[in-house]
Amino acid sequence: MKWSKRSVAWDHFDLKNGDVRCKHCDAVYKYNTTTTPMLYHLNHAHPTLIAGSSSSSQPTITSVLARRSCDSQRADKITKGICKFIQTDMLPISIVEGEGFGNLMNIMEPAYNIPSRRTVIRLIEMQYEERKEELFKSLATAESVALTTDCWTALTAESYITITCHYIGDDWEMNSAVLLTESLPGRHTADCLAEKLNGAVEHWRIEGRVIACVHDNAANIVAANRPTRVSWVSVACFAHTLQLAINDGFALYLNRVISAAGKLVGHFNHSTVASKALQKKQEQMGLASHRLIQSCKTRWNSVCDMFDRLVEQRWAVAAVLSDRTVTKLQDARILELKDEYWQLMEETQPVLRALKCATTLMSAEKDVSISNTYPITFSLINAHLMRKEGDGPKVIEFKTKVRSSLSTRMNVSYI
């Protein structure tokens, strides 16, 4: 009897008297001119034996992909995808020249020729112009437009201004688009900022339809949005106003706790030995394996997050500081927090969480939040910032100061 031994199955089976027998486990099957039962047996009983093996009559997927040509239509689609990838993740254009990226594309599409950096720049600029024309058309149909603006500093210490517009589209969905991001090399005077705002409005042809501009409480941008310089209503960012009121409360006493807690967290975040020791203590005490969180003046709610995490990990932190194989006695004396500080961090948790909730709600990007401003203000003033039974003197002092500052800044009265 003749049979074809082109299949990999024949490397593992012997044919005798119309039966096939596995060379590895003596399993026997009736041979009916097909190797399917044999291959099924190998896949389920001896999968490692045929890993990487394949029938010579059936090419692998990899070999098929390697032989497939990349036509111009597919190449164009991939190039546009790369440009979109760079734009979406804000990656450096030089990524297309990287060895790792080249290796990845060679695996995904061996026949594709990666475009040069210059080509990618040209294509992204073309896409920018297309998107710009689309935005012009979209803004032309908007009845009213609101602006938000902010001045910020890059890691290179260069100052920039960004202006964003927000409007309701024909589908009743809120749309947002960046109208301008430019460097501010000179002095950030009110006249300079007002010129930037009016210039952006004129460039995008939305004069007469801008109803308001939301900005922070810096004196220069507040002055830039006065009626003598612009034609729209000036709206101070409520979340920023709330943070200023909270900082007023911190200034009374809590800044001492924040400073001491920040030094403690910084020690663990910058010491590999202390960090590893903390992980071991967390495992021994059955605590969650969480890193400590550092507060930052420009990152809202970070004090609340730092206090929460320290209270959660208090005893693991204390164990590390008391371990002389990890922490020197001199360092421990500097880093250890007073019992009063630990107590204050616990006592302020409820009010700080309420303030964090208010800030998060008012920082939403996809929802129109201005209608929540005064309900949240009065909720904080008349409930969360009110003195409660069990509040310590420092907590009462903090609540009273934040309550007074917020009322003054929002120009509302309270009992």
Side-chain angles (χ1 to χ4, degrees), residues 222-250:
V222 171
N225 279 275
R226 285 179 182 155
T228 54
R229 292 186 173 93
V230 297
S231 60
W232 50 79
V233 176
S234 171
V235 180
C237 172
F238 175 73
H240 186 255
T241 301
L242 179 58
Q243 297 311 305
L244 293 177
I246 293 170
N247 288 336
D248 289 340
F250 286 156

Side-chain angles (χ1 to χ4, degrees), residues 57-78:
S57 62
Q58 297 180 345
T60 63
I61 293 176
T62 304
S63 64
V64 171
L65 290 175
R67 290 198 302 266
R68 185 182 66 186
S69 63
C70 184
D71 58 37
S72 59
Q73 186 176 1
R74 178 168 173 78
D76 184 56
K77 187 175 181 180
I78 294 173

Side-chain angles (χ1 to χ4, degrees), residues 15-83:
L15 177 65
K16 188 175 182 180
N17 299 327
D19 294 329
V20 287
R21 181 184 298 275
C22 178
K23 297 178 181 179
H24 309 289
C25 65
D26 292 330
V28 178
Y29 295 91
K30 197 73 176 176
Y31 179 64
N32 293 314
T33 71
T34 177
T35 60
T36 300
M38 300 149 66
L39 291 172
Y40 181 87
H41 172 78
L42 290 171
N43 276 318
H44 288 78
H46 315 290
T48 58
L49 294 176
I50 59 170
S53 301
S54 62
S55 170
S56 60
S57 62
Q58 297 180 345
T60 63
I61 293 176
T62 304
S63 64
V64 171
L65 290 175
R67 290 198 302 266
R68 185 182 66 186
S69 63
C70 184
D71 58 37
S72 59
Q73 186 176 1
R74 178 168 173 78
D76 184 56
K77 187 175 181 180
I78 294 173
T79 302
K80 288 181 179 178
I82 292 173
C83 293

Side-chain angles (χ1 to χ4, degrees), residues 86-159:
I86 291 172
Q87 295 170 53
T88 303
D89 291 343
M90 293 186 287
L91 299 170
I93 296 175
S94 59
I95 192 173
V96 298
E97 298 176 338
E99 182 181 352
F101 184 78
N103 291 336
L104 174 63
M105 292 307 302
N106 188 49
I107 294 171
M108 299 297 294
E109 188 62 76
Y112 174 71
N113 292 319
I114 299 174
S116 66
R117 183 198 300 211
R118 184 175 297 180
T119 299
V120 172
I121 292 174
R122 178 176 57 80
L123 292 173
I124 289 178
E125 288 176 346
M126 287 173 58
Q127 290 175 1
Y128 165 76
E129 292 299 330
E130 292 172 2
R131 183 69 185 92
K132 184 177 177 181
E133 287 304 313
E134 291 174 7
L135 183 56
F136 266 121
K137 293 177 182 178
S138 182
L139 285 173
T141 63
E143 241 179 74
S144 301
V145 179
L147 303 179
T148 54
T149 186
D150 190 30
C151 296
W152 51 279
T153 305
L155 294 175
T156 55
E158 295 176 291
S159 296

Side-chain angles (χ1 to χ4, degrees), residues 253 314 336-343:
Y253 185 81
R314 176 178 180 178
E336 283 175 348
L337 301 180
K338 301 176 183 178
D339 288 341
E340 176 191 4
Y341 288 1
W342 286 109
Q343 184 179 348

Side-chain angles (χ1 to χ4, degrees), residues 4-22:
S4 171
K5 284 196 175 185
R6 287 179 297 173
S7 173
V8 69
W10 293 114
D11 294 334
H12 307 278
F13 280 84
D14 289 323
L15 177 65
K16 188 175 182 180
N17 299 327
D19 294 329
V20 287
R21 181 184 298 275
C22 178

